[in-house]
Amino acid sequence: MARRTQRFTEDDFDSLEGRASKTEQKKAVQRMAALGEQLANLSKKQVQNLPVEERLVDALLEVQQITSFEARRRQFLRIGKLLRNEDETVILSYLTPQQGAKKTAQLQRWVDRMIAQGDPAVNEFAKMHNAAERHPLRQHLLRIQRDVNQQVSAEELEASKLKLFNYVQQVALISDNS
């Protein structure tokens, strides 16, 4: 088989920017499965009141009845897949009251600190929260810095900051219960 002599151009890499690697996608599924575990701990009435697809509600109610470890694991992976179609902000808003306003304010300060300080704050946050991964945190920060440098609209900048906050909140929820 002949070796390719084609050189990659800057356009090739630009088209990949913002796309998650397979590893990042797998870890995102694991985070969503962990969020699914958090949702499964809610009461039956709270699960039924979630503003999500009916399939997800059914899956969450089903997992409460399953006793086999392997069956629960597979069900949580299924729930993680279903959660990908939902709005993270809505899901986190239902889980946030478990954290409390003090914890939410603390996480917002972490986000502000990471934006201001960069890697030192990311490393410290990752040490404190065992579910945190440095690469996604840095990617979110780079996206925010790029938005600031390109002087995008305030709405777009807030959306980037919200994505970072959602990730930090997910990590905190998972870390608290690990």
PDB file of all heavy atoms in Angstrom, residues 136-164:
ATOM      1  N   PRO A 136     -11.202  19.498  28.411  1.00  0.00           N
ATOM      2  CA  PRO A 136     -12.456  20.201  28.091  1.00  0.00           C
ATOM      3  C   PRO A 136     -12.540  21.592  28.738  1.00  0.00           C
ATOM      4  O   PRO A 136     -13.057  22.526  28.130  1.00  0.00           O
ATOM      5  CB  PRO A 136     -13.552  19.282  28.651  1.00  0.00           C
ATOM      6  CG  PRO A 136     -12.920  17.950  28.754  1.00  0.00           C
ATOM      7  CD  PRO A 136     -11.468  18.188  28.997  1.00  0.00           C
ATOM      8  N   LEU A 137     -11.995  21.709  29.953  1.00  0.00           N
ATOM      9  CA  LEU A 137     -11.993  23.027  30.599  1.00  0.00           C
ATOM     10  C   LEU A 137     -11.180  24.016  29.774  1.00  0.00           C
ATOM     11  O   LEU A 137     -11.620  25.149  29.533  1.00  0.00           O
ATOM     12  CB  LEU A 137     -11.426  22.928  32.016  1.00  0.00           C
ATOM     13  CG  LEU A 137     -12.327  22.278  33.062  1.00  0.00           C
ATOM     14  CD1 LEU A 137     -11.553  21.991  34.334  1.00  0.00           C
ATOM     15  CD2 LEU A 137     -13.521  23.175  33.353  1.00  0.00           C
ATOM     16  N   ARG A 138     -10.011  23.587  29.331  1.00  0.00           N
ATOM     17  CA  ARG A 138      -9.165  24.470  28.510  1.00  0.00           C
ATOM     18  C   ARG A 138      -9.838  24.798  27.180  1.00  0.00           C
ATOM     19  O   ARG A 138      -9.726  25.918  26.686  1.00  0.00           O
ATOM     20  CB  ARG A 138      -7.810  23.813  28.270  1.00  0.00           C
ATOM     21  CG  ARG A 138      -6.935  23.813  29.498  1.00  0.00           C
ATOM     22  CD  ARG A 138      -5.549  23.292  29.182  1.00  0.00           C
ATOM     23  NE  ARG A 138      -4.760  23.191  30.378  1.00  0.00           N
ATOM     24  CZ  ARG A 138      -4.225  22.067  30.839  1.00  0.00           C
ATOM     25  NH1 ARG A 138      -4.381  20.944  30.168  1.00  0.00           N
ATOM     26  NH2 ARG A 138      -3.519  22.066  31.940  1.00  0.00           N
ATOM     27  N   GLN A 139     -10.522  23.824  26.592  1.00  0.00           N
ATOM     28  CA  GLN A 139     -11.217  24.078  25.329  1.00  0.00           C
ATOM     29  C   GLN A 139     -12.292  25.143  25.506  1.00  0.00           C
ATOM     30  O   GLN A 139     -12.434  26.041  24.673  1.00  0.00           O
ATOM     31  CB  GLN A 139     -11.838  22.780  24.788  1.00  0.00           C
ATOM     32  CG  GLN A 139     -10.825  21.769  24.299  1.00  0.00           C
ATOM     33  CD  GLN A 139      -9.999  22.309  23.145  1.00  0.00           C
ATOM     34  OE1 GLN A 139     -10.512  22.906  22.222  1.00  0.00           O
ATOM     35  NE2 GLN A 139      -8.700  22.099  23.214  1.00  0.00           N
ATOM     36  N   HIS A 140     -13.054  25.036  26.592  1.00  0.00           N
ATOM     37  CA  HIS A 140     -14.073  26.061  26.861  1.00  0.00           C
ATOM     38  C   HIS A 140     -13.436  27.432  27.063  1.00  0.00           C
ATOM     39  O   HIS A 140     -13.931  28.439  26.549  1.00  0.00           O
ATOM     40  CB  HIS A 140     -14.902  25.691  28.101  1.00  0.00           C
ATOM     41  CG  HIS A 140     -15.881  24.587  27.873  1.00  0.00           C
ATOM     42  ND1 HIS A 140     -16.957  24.706  27.019  1.00  0.00           N
ATOM     43  CD2 HIS A 140     -15.971  23.348  28.393  1.00  0.00           C
ATOM     44  CE1 HIS A 140     -17.648  23.589  27.023  1.00  0.00           C
ATOM     45  NE2 HIS A 140     -17.072  22.740  27.851  1.00  0.00           N
ATOM     46  N   LEU A 141     -12.322  27.476  27.804  1.00  0.00           N
ATOM     47  CA  LEU A 141     -11.634  28.746  28.036  1.00  0.00           C
ATOM     48  C   LEU A 141     -11.084  29.334  26.744  1.00  0.00           C
ATOM     49  O   LEU A 141     -11.185  30.548  26.515  1.00  0.00           O
ATOM     50  CB  LEU A 141     -10.509  28.568  29.055  1.00  0.00           C
ATOM     51  CG  LEU A 141     -10.959  28.332  30.489  1.00  0.00           C
ATOM     52  CD1 LEU A 141      -9.764  28.033  31.377  1.00  0.00           C
ATOM     53  CD2 LEU A 141     -11.721  29.531  31.014  1.00  0.00           C
ATOM     54  N   LEU A 142     -10.503  28.486  25.899  1.00  0.00           N
ATOM     55  CA  LEU A 142      -9.990  28.965  24.614  1.00  0.00           C
ATOM     56  C   LEU A 142     -11.115  29.528  23.753  1.00  0.00           C
ATOM     57  O   LEU A 142     -10.944  30.541  23.070  1.00  0.00           O
ATOM     58  CB  LEU A 142      -9.271  27.847  23.873  1.00  0.00           C
ATOM     59  CG  LEU A 142      -7.902  27.457  24.420  1.00  0.00           C
ATOM     60  CD1 LEU A 142      -7.372  26.218  23.714  1.00  0.00           C
ATOM     61  CD2 LEU A 142      -6.929  28.612  24.282  1.00  0.00           C
ATOM     62  N   ARG A 143     -12.266  28.877  23.784  1.00  0.00           N
ATOM     63  CA  ARG A 143     -13.416  29.364  23.010  1.00  0.00           C
ATOM     64  C   ARG A 143     -13.865  30.741  23.527  1.00  0.00           C
ATOM     65  O   ARG A 143     -14.160  31.641  22.744  1.00  0.00           O
ATOM     66  CB  ARG A 143     -14.563  28.352  23.102  1.00  0.00           C
ATOM     67  CG  ARG A 143     -15.641  28.587  22.080  1.00  0.00           C
ATOM     68  CD  ARG A 143     -16.609  27.414  21.998  1.00  0.00           C
ATOM     69  NE  ARG A 143     -15.919  26.222  21.507  1.00  0.00           N
ATOM     70  CZ  ARG A 143     -15.837  25.072  22.180  1.00  0.00           C
ATOM     71  NH1 ARG A 143     -16.384  24.930  23.356  1.00  0.00           N
ATOM     72  NH2 ARG A 143     -15.210  24.044  21.659  1.00  0.00           N
ATOM     73  N   ILE A 144     -13.869  30.910  24.844  1.00  0.00           N
ATOM     74  CA  ILE A 144     -14.254  32.202  25.429  1.00  0.00           C
ATOM     75  C   ILE A 144     -13.234  33.269  25.053  1.00  0.00           C
ATOM     76  O   ILE A 144     -13.600  34.383  24.656  1.00  0.00           O
ATOM     77  CB  ILE A 144     -14.398  32.079  26.963  1.00  0.00           C
ATOM     78  CG1 ILE A 144     -15.625  31.227  27.294  1.00  0.00           C
ATOM     79  CG2 ILE A 144     -14.502  33.452  27.614  1.00  0.00           C
ATOM     80  CD1 ILE A 144     -15.729  30.825  28.751  1.00  0.00           C
ATOM     81  N   GLN A 145     -11.941  32.945  25.159  1.00  0.00           N
ATOM     82  CA  GLN A 145     -10.894  33.908  24.795  1.00  0.00           C
ATOM     83  C   GLN A 145     -10.981  34.280  23.317  1.00  0.00           C
ATOM     84  O   GLN A 145     -10.806  35.444  22.955  1.00  0.00           O
ATOM     85  CB  GLN A 145      -9.515  33.343  25.124  1.00  0.00           C
ATOM     86  CG  GLN A 145      -9.251  33.251  26.596  1.00  0.00           C
ATOM     87  CD  GLN A 145      -7.987  32.475  26.919  1.00  0.00           C
ATOM     88  OE1 GLN A 145      -7.345  31.911  26.039  1.00  0.00           O
ATOM     89  NE2 GLN A 145      -7.630  32.438  28.206  1.00  0.00           N
ATOM     90  N   ARG A 146     -11.244  33.292  22.467  1.00  0.00           N
ATOM     91  CA  ARG A 146     -11.397  33.563  21.029  1.00  0.00           C
ATOM     92  C   ARG A 146     -12.584  34.501  20.794  1.00  0.00           C
ATOM     93  O   ARG A 146     -12.493  35.446  20.017  1.00  0.00           O
ATOM     94  CB  ARG A 146     -11.596  32.259  20.260  1.00  0.00           C
ATOM     95  CG  ARG A 146     -11.650  32.466  18.750  1.00  0.00           C
ATOM     96  CD  ARG A 146     -12.095  31.242  18.023  1.00  0.00           C
ATOM     97  NE  ARG A 146     -13.473  30.967  18.405  1.00  0.00           N
ATOM     98  CZ  ARG A 146     -14.039  29.772  18.388  1.00  0.00           C
ATOM     99  NH1 ARG A 146     -13.364  28.724  18.038  1.00  0.00           N
ATOM    100  NH2 ARG A 146     -15.295  29.619  18.735  1.00  0.00           N
ATOM    101  N   ASP A 147     -13.686  34.259  21.499  1.00  0.00           N
ATOM    102  CA  ASP A 147     -14.861  35.119  21.352  1.00  0.00           C
ATOM    103  C   ASP A 147     -14.567  36.550  21.802  1.00  0.00           C
ATOM    104  O   ASP A 147     -15.012  37.506  21.174  1.00  0.00           O
ATOM    105  CB  ASP A 147     -16.049  34.561  22.142  1.00  0.00           C
ATOM    106  CG  ASP A 147     -16.616  33.288  21.523  1.00  0.00           C
ATOM    107  OD1 ASP A 147     -16.216  32.952  20.385  1.00  0.00           O
ATOM    108  OD2 ASP A 147     -17.448  32.631  22.181  1.00  0.00           O
ATOM    109  N   VAL A 148     -13.798  36.683  22.884  1.00  0.00           N
ATOM    110  CA  VAL A 148     -13.432  38.019  23.366  1.00  0.00           C
ATOM    111  C   VAL A 148     -12.545  38.714  22.338  1.00  0.00           C
ATOM    112  O   VAL A 148     -12.750  39.890  22.020  1.00  0.00           O
ATOM    113  CB  VAL A 148     -12.732  37.932  24.741  1.00  0.00           C
ATOM    114  CG1 VAL A 148     -12.087  39.255  25.106  1.00  0.00           C
ATOM    115  CG2 VAL A 148     -13.724  37.511  25.812  1.00  0.00           C
ATOM    116  N   ASN A 149     -11.549  37.996  21.795  1.00  0.00           N
ATOM    117  CA  ASN A 149     -10.629  38.581  20.808  1.00  0.00           C
ATOM    118  C   ASN A 149     -11.336  38.966  19.515  1.00  0.00           C
ATOM    119  O   ASN A 149     -10.982  39.954  18.881  1.00  0.00           O
ATOM    120  CB  ASN A 149      -9.478  37.621  20.510  1.00  0.00           C
ATOM    121  CG  ASN A 149      -8.535  37.487  21.681  1.00  0.00           C
ATOM    122  OD1 ASN A 149      -8.489  38.349  22.557  1.00  0.00           O
ATOM    123  ND2 ASN A 149      -7.787  36.400  21.711  1.00  0.00           N
ATOM    124  N   GLN A 150     -12.320  38.157  19.119  1.00  0.00           N
ATOM    125  CA  GLN A 150     -13.062  38.452  17.890  1.00  0.00           C
ATOM    126  C   GLN A 150     -14.199  39.436  18.123  1.00  0.00           C
ATOM    127  O   GLN A 150     -14.896  39.811  17.197  1.00  0.00           O
ATOM    128  CB  GLN A 150     -13.612  37.159  17.285  1.00  0.00           C
ATOM    129  CG  GLN A 150     -12.553  36.244  16.756  1.00  0.00           C
ATOM    130  CD  GLN A 150     -13.133  34.959  16.176  1.00  0.00           C
ATOM    131  OE1 GLN A 150     -14.314  34.688  16.274  1.00  0.00           O
ATOM    132  NE2 GLN A 150     -12.265  34.166  15.552  1.00  0.00           N
ATOM    133  N   GLN A 151     -14.374  39.839  19.361  1.00  0.00           N
ATOM    134  CA  GLN A 151     -15.410  40.807  19.747  1.00  0.00           C
ATOM    135  C   GLN A 151     -16.780  40.386  19.224  1.00  0.00           C
ATOM    136  O   GLN A 151     -17.474  41.162  18.554  1.00  0.00           O
ATOM    137  CB  GLN A 151     -15.033  42.202  19.272  1.00  0.00           C
ATOM    138  CG  GLN A 151     -13.745  42.703  19.898  1.00  0.00           C
ATOM    139  CD  GLN A 151     -13.323  44.059  19.368  1.00  0.00           C
ATOM    140  OE1 GLN A 151     -13.835  44.541  18.366  1.00  0.00           O
ATOM    141  NE2 GLN A 151     -12.385  44.679  20.046  1.00  0.00           N
ATOM    142  N   VAL A 152     -17.160  39.158  19.556  1.00  0.00           N
ATOM    143  CA  VAL A 152     -18.483  38.665  19.163  1.00  0.00           C
ATOM    144  C   VAL A 152     -19.539  39.351  20.024  1.00  0.00           C
ATOM    145  O   VAL A 152     -19.224  40.038  21.001  1.00  0.00           O
ATOM    146  CB  VAL A 152     -18.578  37.123  19.296  1.00  0.00           C
ATOM    147  CG1 VAL A 152     -17.590  36.438  18.383  1.00  0.00           C
ATOM    148  CG2 VAL A 152     -18.370  36.693  20.730  1.00  0.00           C
ATOM    149  N   SER A 153     -20.792  39.127  19.687  1.00  0.00           N
ATOM    150  CA  SER A 153     -21.878  39.773  20.424  1.00  0.00           C
ATOM    151  C   SER A 153     -21.905  39.271  21.872  1.00  0.00           C
ATOM    152  O   SER A 153     -21.401  38.201  22.197  1.00  0.00           O
ATOM    153  CB  SER A 153     -23.217  39.486  19.747  1.00  0.00           C
ATOM    154  OG  SER A 153     -23.522  38.112  19.850  1.00  0.00           O
ATOM    155  N   ALA A 154     -22.530  40.058  22.723  1.00  0.00           N
ATOM    156  CA  ALA A 154     -22.616  39.718  24.143  1.00  0.00           C
ATOM    157  C   ALA A 154     -23.370  38.402  24.346  1.00  0.00           C
ATOM    158  O   ALA A 154     -23.031  37.619  25.239  1.00  0.00           O
ATOM    159  CB  ALA A 154     -23.304  40.845  24.906  1.00  0.00           C
ATOM    160  N   GLU A 155     -24.372  38.151  23.497  1.00  0.00           N
ATOM    161  CA  GLU A 155     -25.154  36.908  23.625  1.00  0.00           C
ATOM    162  C   GLU A 155     -24.286  35.681  23.342  1.00  0.00           C
ATOM    163  O   GLU A 155     -24.372  34.673  24.038  1.00  0.00           O
ATOM    164  CB  GLU A 155     -26.367  36.913  22.680  1.00  0.00           C
ATOM    165  CG  GLU A 155     -27.402  37.966  22.988  1.00  0.00           C
ATOM    166  CD  GLU A 155     -27.090  39.308  22.346  1.00  0.00           C
ATOM    167  OE1 GLU A 155     -26.351  39.345  21.335  1.00  0.00           O
ATOM    168  OE2 GLU A 155     -27.571  40.325  22.867  1.00  0.00           O
ATOM    169  N   GLU A 156     -23.458  35.768  22.299  1.00  0.00           N
ATOM    170  CA  GLU A 156     -22.580  34.644  21.950  1.00  0.00           C
ATOM    171  C   GLU A 156     -21.548  34.403  23.044  1.00  0.00           C
ATOM    172  O   GLU A 156     -21.246  33.250  23.371  1.00  0.00           O
ATOM    173  CB  GLU A 156     -21.884  34.904  20.617  1.00  0.00           C
ATOM    174  CG  GLU A 156     -22.808  34.878  19.419  1.00  0.00           C
ATOM    175  CD  GLU A 156     -22.068  35.174  18.129  1.00  0.00           C
ATOM    176  OE1 GLU A 156     -20.980  34.615  17.922  1.00  0.00           O
ATOM    177  OE2 GLU A 156     -22.596  35.971  17.331  1.00  0.00           O
ATOM    178  N   LEU A 157     -21.002  35.490  23.607  1.00  0.00           N
ATOM    179  CA  LEU A 157     -20.025  35.361  24.685  1.00  0.00           C
ATOM    180  C   LEU A 157     -20.671  34.736  25.917  1.00  0.00           C
ATOM    181  O   LEU A 157     -20.093  33.845  26.546  1.00  0.00           O
ATOM    182  CB  LEU A 157     -19.425  36.724  25.026  1.00  0.00           C
ATOM    183  CG  LEU A 157     -18.327  36.737  26.079  1.00  0.00           C
ATOM    184  CD1 LEU A 157     -17.146  35.880  25.643  1.00  0.00           C
ATOM    185  CD2 LEU A 157     -17.876  38.158  26.349  1.00  0.00           C
ATOM    186  N   GLU A 158     -21.875  35.144  26.250  1.00  0.00           N
ATOM    187  CA  GLU A 158     -22.596  34.566  27.389  1.00  0.00           C
ATOM    188  C   GLU A 158     -22.916  33.101  27.147  1.00  0.00           C
ATOM    189  O   GLU A 158     -22.889  32.294  28.076  1.00  0.00           O
ATOM    190  CB  GLU A 158     -23.877  35.352  27.685  1.00  0.00           C
ATOM    191  CG  GLU A 158     -23.644  36.661  28.401  1.00  0.00           C
ATOM    192  CD  GLU A 158     -22.869  36.503  29.701  1.00  0.00           C
ATOM    193  OE1 GLU A 158     -23.221  35.631  30.527  1.00  0.00           O
ATOM    194  OE2 GLU A 158     -21.892  37.244  29.893  1.00  0.00           O
ATOM    195  N   ALA A 159     -23.214  32.740  25.899  1.00  0.00           N
ATOM    196  CA  ALA A 159     -23.483  31.339  25.576  1.00  0.00           C
ATOM    197  C   ALA A 159     -22.233  30.493  25.806  1.00  0.00           C
ATOM    198  O   ALA A 159     -22.321  29.380  26.347  1.00  0.00           O
ATOM    199  CB  ALA A 159     -23.965  31.207  24.136  1.00  0.00           C
ATOM    200  N   SER A 160     -21.072  31.009  25.431  1.00  0.00           N
ATOM    201  CA  SER A 160     -19.815  30.289  25.661  1.00  0.00           C
ATOM    202  C   SER A 160     -19.545  30.145  27.154  1.00  0.00           C
ATOM    203  O   SER A 160     -19.116  29.085  27.621  1.00  0.00           O
ATOM    204  CB  SER A 160     -18.647  31.015  25.001  1.00  0.00           C
ATOM    205  OG  SER A 160     -18.779  31.024  23.611  1.00  0.00           O
ATOM    206  N   LYS A 161     -19.799  31.208  27.907  1.00  0.00           N
ATOM    207  CA  LYS A 161     -19.596  31.154  29.354  1.00  0.00           C
ATOM    208  C   LYS A 161     -20.591  30.184  30.004  1.00  0.00           C
ATOM    209  O   LYS A 161     -20.242  29.481  30.955  1.00  0.00           O
ATOM    210  CB  LYS A 161     -19.740  32.545  29.971  1.00  0.00           C
ATOM    211  CG  LYS A 161     -18.577  33.461  29.660  1.00  0.00           C
ATOM    212  CD  LYS A 161     -18.747  34.808  30.315  1.00  0.00           C
ATOM    213  CE  LYS A 161     -17.574  35.723  30.009  1.00  0.00           C
ATOM    214  NZ  LYS A 161     -17.722  37.052  30.619  1.00  0.00           N
ATOM    215  N   LEU A 162     -21.807  30.137  29.486  1.00  0.00           N
ATOM    216  CA  LEU A 162     -22.814  29.215  30.016  1.00  0.00           C
ATOM    217  C   LEU A 162     -22.407  27.764  29.777  1.00  0.00           C
ATOM    218  O   LEU A 162     -22.599  26.907  30.647  1.00  0.00           O
ATOM    219  CB  LEU A 162     -24.186  29.489  29.387  1.00  0.00           C
ATOM    220  CG  LEU A 162     -25.326  28.594  29.865  1.00  0.00           C
ATOM    221  CD1 LEU A 162     -25.584  28.802  31.362  1.00  0.00           C
ATOM    222  CD2 LEU A 162     -26.588  28.868  29.070  1.00  0.00           C
ATOM    223  N   LYS A 163     -21.797  27.482  28.617  1.00  0.00           N
ATOM    224  CA  LYS A 163     -21.326  26.122  28.343  1.00  0.00           C
ATOM    225  C   LYS A 163     -20.249  25.723  29.343  1.00  0.00           C
ATOM    226  O   LYS A 163     -20.237  24.590  29.838  1.00  0.00           O
ATOM    227  CB  LYS A 163     -20.794  26.015  26.912  1.00  0.00           C
ATOM    228  CG  LYS A 163     -21.883  26.002  25.866  1.00  0.00           C
ATOM    229  CD  LYS A 163     -21.307  25.897  24.474  1.00  0.00           C
ATOM    230  CE  LYS A 163     -22.414  25.969  23.436  1.00  0.00           C
ATOM    231  NZ  LYS A 163     -21.885  25.925  22.072  1.00  0.00           N
ATOM    232  N   LEU A 164     -19.338  26.647  29.654  1.00  0.00           N
ATOM    233  CA  LEU A 164     -18.301  26.367  30.653  1.00  0.00           C
ATOM    234  C   LEU A 164     -18.938  26.147  32.018  1.00  0.00           C
ATOM    235  O   LEU A 164     -18.602  25.195  32.722  1.00  0.00           O
ATOM    236  CB  LEU A 164     -17.288  27.514  30.713  1.00  0.00           C
ATOM    237  CG  LEU A 164     -16.234  27.423  31.832  1.00  0.00           C
ATOM    238  CD1 LEU A 164     -15.390  26.160  31.690  1.00  0.00           C
ATOM    239  CD2 LEU A 164     -15.358  28.662  31.828  1.00  0.00           C
TER     240      LEU A 164
END
